[in-house]
Amino acid sequence: MRKAAVLGAGYMGSAITYPLSDSGIEVNLWGTWLDDSIIDSCIRGNHPKLKQKMPENVNFFYSKELKAALKDVDMIFIGVTSNGFVDVFNLVMDNIKDNVPFFKLTKGLVEYEGNVERIAQAAEKIFRKKFGPKEDFLMTVIGGAVNAAELSKKIHTTSIYAPNNEKLFSVPGTFSTDYYSVIVGRDPVGLEISSAFKNVFSIMVGISDGIFAPKYGRGHYVNLNSFIYNQGMIEMSKIALAAGGDENTVFNLAGMGDFYAATLSGRNQRYGEEVGKGGKPHETFSSLFEKGEVSEGYMALKISLEWIKTLDPNLPSQLPLLNAIYSIIFENKDVEKTLMEFLSN
Amino acid sequence: MRKAAVLGAGYMGSAITYPLSDSGIEVNLWGTWLDDSIIDSCIRGNHPKLKQKMPENVNFFYSKELKAALKDVDMIFIGVTSNGFVDVFNLVMDNIKDNVPFFKLTKGLVEYEGNVERIAQAAEKIFRKKFGPKEDFLMTVIGGAVNAAELSKKIHTTSIYAPNNEKLFSVPGTFSTDYYSVIVGRDPVGLEISSAFKNVFSIMVGISDGIFAPKYGRGHYVNLNSFIYNQGMIEMSKIALAAGGDENTVFNLAGMGDFYAATLSGRNQRYGEEVGKGGKPHETFSSLFEKGEVSEGYMALKISLEWIKTLDPNLPSQLPLLNAIYSIIFENKDVEKTLMEFLSN
């Protein structure tokens, strides 16, 4: 029986255990230092966020039990939040002897040694410190339109797995179940960018919901939300191209499909909606964060313009939607006025 | 003062009169033989579908008054349903003396002289019978994410106008208002295909809503709806390319944005939802049609595969979503089974 460690017992880490279990894989689910109460709850009965029992062949590990969780596993899934990624990946290096393939569920950008980077870039640097320059760094980027709560309810979901090495191309298909279709992607960079930025751009759809749903009734302002969605896609494709990704990845399930889903549900839309209703950007983020409802889009947004400048110094000026969101969230600009200016220009 | 005739007093024809009026244009709104009661109602007070007063400088014309409605106009907007287009455009030819620019709001495909065609193609043939081969046929295709009810409430809307002749490029901008942004497009074919097929593919999102909203709660199956949306986009781009349109038109507001909006509201989503809940495809279409709630997607779907074959005989086999919708609506296939097979393949 294959054995996987899944790191992070939040929404996505926990949800992935369902198709893994149903694919006949034994799963060690490890919770971070923020997740100990989740692990408690899972052992006693239900997952507190997914509000249901975890699969049969999942073993639970508290934060202090990382070494045991990683023992004899064939693969490691990482589903912690982006702000915990570097710490957790360093801990993983301290607690494994042999090289194993990594599967990255975490979405966003990270700060590592003073620079903003894609998560897979930072992970490789951390990996090389332990394993040196010659060992294969095997990381599969996971993306696609995957709302974790839906996946845990076994509602039909299609996910994309983009390995960074041809050796891994045959693996993702072994995780498919009747409700979980896995597609192998060939563009981990484009997939990583899409996953990170769909969270960022979904904030503005949420902001629009927060402003206009009370005025017109939810769903009665699709003309302007579709304009935001469309512009988000255009800007996402520009960013992916500049980072060395492929436009065709963005204009497919990795970007277009996942962003579609993210605008309609999820923590970034909800965060934006609170801001649209008048919530202060930082306070709203913090209070949701404390409840374990982390807006990854907020964290990626914070460092995105700085990162994009390193790709192409002229690119930020070609991203009016990204700039509008940034100025609302991090520059205290008037929410409705900024949105209307974006729509009219 | 410029003067426009708007033909068709349904949702879209009536809604466009708001930005036209606010751009300082006098509008003659003509209702077809199906719209006489709408015109009645408008004259007495409110538009019965938009449920509000029409703009000040709109003049109303009953179906028998077409010649008067067309008298001395500088441009003609056509917003009748696709199944009425050929008849109405023939009537227009019978009732105008001079050539004027046409603006096409009607979306779909038409049967004309035994063939299925894009509406603008059929219109040009009808035009040439009256005006001969040398006269400029001036037709601007209108599209983009424009829900008519929202436009009539002056909720911010962006529309695309793609003229078939450079002479017209300066005109659309004159229709812009503070709530109606007009973008000039250079690909009328891609725009026409996008507008027609977003209606078709939205039916399947509606079907999914009809099946799954009662089971999971509305909006709690975004993983699979986003897969349908994404596949619709991929298939729309293939059809547009085969018809001589540009992929970049489809992957922008004309296709991606308009389809996004159409999946979230509109008559095709609603038609699909009724079918997903168990409504018989033809009976459901007919009963909505009688209420003036016309699913343009149903009518385009009916003749779409026949038309696509004329573009490329191998293309229909590369369109699994279109085939799945066709087999549900026109071949009596089991609704949920067909959808699940589509999702799993």
Side-chain angles (χ1 to χ4, degrees):
Chain A
M1 196 176 190
R2 288 184 297 167
K3 199 167 174 179
V6 173
L7 309 185
Y11 283 102
M12 194 55 84
S14 303
I16 199 77
T17 68
Y18 291 84
L20 293 179
S21 297
D22 287 334
S23 309
I25 294 167
E26 186 182 346
V27 180
N28 289 349
L29 180 65
W30 174 78
T32 70
W33 43 97
L34 299 172
D35 297 340
D36 282 339
S37 70
I38 295 180
I39 297 294
D40 262 344
S41 180
C42 287
I43 291 171
R44 284 201 314 269
N46 282 351
H47 190 287
K49 288 169 192 278
L50 301 177
K51 298 186 186 1
Q52 60 181 23
K53 260 179 75 69
M54 297 294 288
E56 291 278 322
N57 43 346
V58 174
N59 313 304
F60 300 100
F61 293 83
Y62 290 99
S63 57
K64 61 177 192 287
E65 302 174 314
L66 181 59
K67 192 177 279 293
L70 296 173
K71 190 163 184 289
D72 298 330
V73 298
D74 306 297
M75 48 198 158
I76 300 174
F77 285 73
I78 308 166
V80 300
T81 54
S82 63
N83 63 327
F85 185 90
V86 167
D87 287 345
V88 167
F89 204 66
N90 271 314
L91 278 176
V92 170
M93 291 301 117
D94 295 341
N95 283 285
I96 57 172
K97 277 184 292 195
D98 304 317
N99 186 11
V100 289
F102 300 101
F103 293 83
K104 184 184 78 73
L105 294 158
T106 307
K107 291 169 181 173
L109 300 168
V110 289
E111 288 182 287
Y112 181 65
E113 298 189 335
N115 296 315
V116 182
E117 308 206 63
R118 282 186 294 106
I119 292 174
Q121 287 177 308
E124 179 160 8
K125 287 181 183 167
I126 295 167
F127 173 89
R128 298 250 167 260
K129 284 191 180 164
K130 179 178 174 94
F131 287 100
K134 289 193 184 159
E135 191 78 10
D136 277 334
F137 170 64
L138 300 175
M139 179 166 268
T140 299
V141 174
I142 303 178
V146 185
N147 175 293
E150 293 182 18
L151 176 57
S152 72
K153 292 194 184 75
K154 306 192 182 183
I155 298 174
H156 200 281
T157 298
T158 306
S159 187
I160 304 162
Y161 283 61
N164 67 347
N165 188 311
E166 290 201 2
K167 285 182 187 174
L168 298 164
F169 282 171
S170 65
V171 178
T174 67
F175 307 140
S176 283
T177 70
D178 56 341
Y179 59 88
Y180 188 61
S181 298
V182 174
I183 295 172
V184 176
R186 307 278 166 131
D187 176 23
V189 174
L191 181 58
E192 197 169 9
I193 305 293
S194 297
S195 297
F197 280 88
K198 72 104 190 349
N199 285 335
V200 175
F201 292 121
S202 295
I203 293 174
M204 192 63 121
V205 177
I207 286 174
S208 168
D209 288 332
I211 297 172
F212 297 112
K215 286 188 192 177
Y216 301 123
R218 181 169 287 275
H220 292 289
Y221 42 91
V222 296
N223 293 357
L224 61 88
N225 271 13
S226 64
F227 184 82
I228 298 169
Y229 171 81
N230 185 67
Q231 182 63 24
M233 281 300 305
I234 302 297
E235 296 188 14
M236 197 188 291
S237 72
K238 288 182 183 178
I239 298 165
L241 266 181
D246 181 346
E247 243 185 353
N248 292 317
T249 305
V250 180
F251 289 110
N252 210 324
L253 203 60
M256 199 163 59
D258 191 9
F259 184 27
Y260 179 91
T263 62
L264 300 180
S265 91
R267 282 161 278 164
N268 299 290
Q269 182 278 334
R270 285 201 292 279
Y271 167 67
E273 186 161 355
E274 290 304 315
V275 173
K277 283 178 186 164
K280 288 186 182 174
H282 308 302
E283 287 78 348
T284 302
F285 172 80
S286 300
S287 94
L288 289 171
F289 189 93
E290 278 163 27
K291 293 176 198 158
E293 300 288 321
V294 183
S295 168
E296 283 287 357
Y298 172 97
M299 296 194 289
L301 172 64
K302 193 171 189 174
I303 51 182
S304 60
L305 283 164
E306 179 188 341
W307 176 68
I308 291 166
K309 260 179 224 153
T310 67
L311 303 176
D312 174 357
N314 296 316
L315 188 51
S317 67
Q318 298 164 48
L319 307 170
L321 177 58
L322 186 63
N323 282 295
I325 306 174
Y326 189 87
S327 69
I328 288 172
I329 303 297
F330 292 106
E331 292 174 345
N332 267 317
K333 291 281 164 63
D334 183 81
V335 179
E336 185 163 352
K337 194 164 159 257
T338 305
L339 173 55
M340 294 317 295
E341 275 169 10
F342 160 73
L343 290 171
S344 304
N345 287 329
Chain B
M1 198 176 192
R2 288 184 297 167
K3 199 168 175 180
V6 174
L7 309 185
Y11 284 102
M12 195 54 84
S14 303
I16 199 76
T17 67
Y18 292 85
L20 292 180
S21 296
D22 287 335
S23 307
I25 294 167
E26 186 183 346
V27 180
N28 289 349
L29 180 64
W30 174 78
T32 70
W33 42 98
L34 299 172
D35 297 340
D36 281 339
S37 70
I38 296 180
I39 296 294
D40 261 344
S41 179
C42 288
I43 291 171
R44 285 202 313 269
N46 282 352
H47 190 287
K49 288 170 191 278
L50 301 177
K51 298 185 186 4
Q52 60 181 22
K53 260 179 75 68
M54 297 294 289
E56 292 277 322
N57 43 347
V58 175
N59 314 304
F60 300 101
F61 293 83
Y62 290 99
S63 56
K64 62 177 190 288
E65 302 174 314
L66 181 59
K67 191 177 281 292
L70 295 174
K71 190 163 184 293
D72 299 329
V73 298
D74 306 297
M75 48 200 157
I76 300 175
F77 285 73
I78 308 166
V80 300
T81 55
S82 63
N83 64 326
F85 186 89
V86 167
D87 287 345
V88 167
F89 204 65
N90 271 313
L91 278 177
V92 169
M93 292 301 116
D94 295 342
N95 283 285
I96 57 172
K97 276 183 292 193
D98 303 317
N99 186 10
V100 290
F102 300 100
F103 294 83
K104 183 184 79 71
L105 294 158
T106 307
K107 291 169 181 173
L109 300 169
V110 289
E111 288 182 287
Y112 181 64
E113 297 188 336
N115 296 314
V116 181
E117 308 206 62
R118 282 187 291 105
I119 293 174
Q121 287 177 307
E124 179 160 7
K125 288 180 183 168
I126 296 167
F127 173 89
R128 299 250 167 260
K129 284 190 179 166
K130 180 179 173 91
F131 286 100
K134 291 194 182 157
E135 190 79 10
D136 277 333
F137 170 65
L138 300 175
M139 179 167 269
T140 298
V141 173
I142 303 177
V146 184
N147 176 293
E150 293 182 17
L151 176 58
S152 72
K153 291 193 185 75
K154 305 191 181 183
I155 298 174
H156 200 282
T157 298
T158 306
S159 187
I160 304 161
Y161 283 61
N164 67 347
N165 188 307
E166 291 201 1
K167 285 182 187 174
L168 298 164
F169 283 172
S170 65
V171 179
T174 66
F175 307 141
S176 283
T177 71
D178 57 341
Y179 59 89
Y180 189 61
S181 297
V182 175
I183 296 173
V184 175
R186 306 279 166 131
D187 176 22
V189 174
L191 181 58
E192 197 169 8
I193 304 294
S194 297
S195 297
F197 280 88
K198 70 104 192 348
N199 285 334
V200 175
F201 292 122
S202 295
I203 293 174
M204 192 64 121
V205 177
I207 287 174
S208 169
D209 288 332
I211 296 173
F212 297 112
K215 287 188 189 175
Y216 302 123
R218 180 169 288 274
H220 293 288
Y221 42 90
V222 295
N223 293 359
L224 61 87
N225 272 12
S226 64
F227 184 82
I228 298 168
Y229 171 80
N230 186 66
Q231 182 63 24
M233 281 300 305
I234 303 297
E235 297 189 13
M236 197 188 291
S237 72
K238 289 182 182 179
I239 298 165
L241 266 181
D246 181 345
E247 245 186 350
N248 292 318
T249 306
V250 180
F251 289 110
N252 210 323
L253 202 60
M256 199 163 60
D258 192 11
F259 185 27
Y260 179 92
T263 63
L264 301 180
S265 91
R267 283 162 277 164
N268 298 289
Q269 183 279 335
R270 285 201 292 279
Y271 166 68
E273 186 160 355
E274 290 304 314
V275 173
K277 284 180 185 163
K280 290 187 181 173
H282 308 304
E283 287 79 347
T284 302
F285 172 79
S286 300
S287 94
L288 289 170
F289 189 93
E290 279 164 26
K291 293 176 199 157
E293 299 290 319
V294 182
S295 167
E296 283 287 357
Y298 172 97
M299 296 195 287
L301 173 63
K302 193 172 189 174
I303 51 181
S304 61
L305 283 165
E306 179 189 339
W307 176 68
I308 290 166
K309 262 180 223 153
T310 67
L311 304 175
D312 174 357
N314 296 317
L315 188 51
S317 67
Q318 299 166 45
L319 307 170
L321 177 58
L322 186 63
N323 282 294
I325 306 174
Y326 189 87
S327 69
I328 288 171
I329 303 297
F330 292 107
E331 292 174 344
N332 267 315
K333 291 280 164 65
D334 183 82
V335 179
E336 186 162 352
K337 194 163 158 257
T338 305
L339 174 56
M340 294 317 295
E341 276 169 10
F342 160 74
L343 290 171
S344 304
N345 287 330

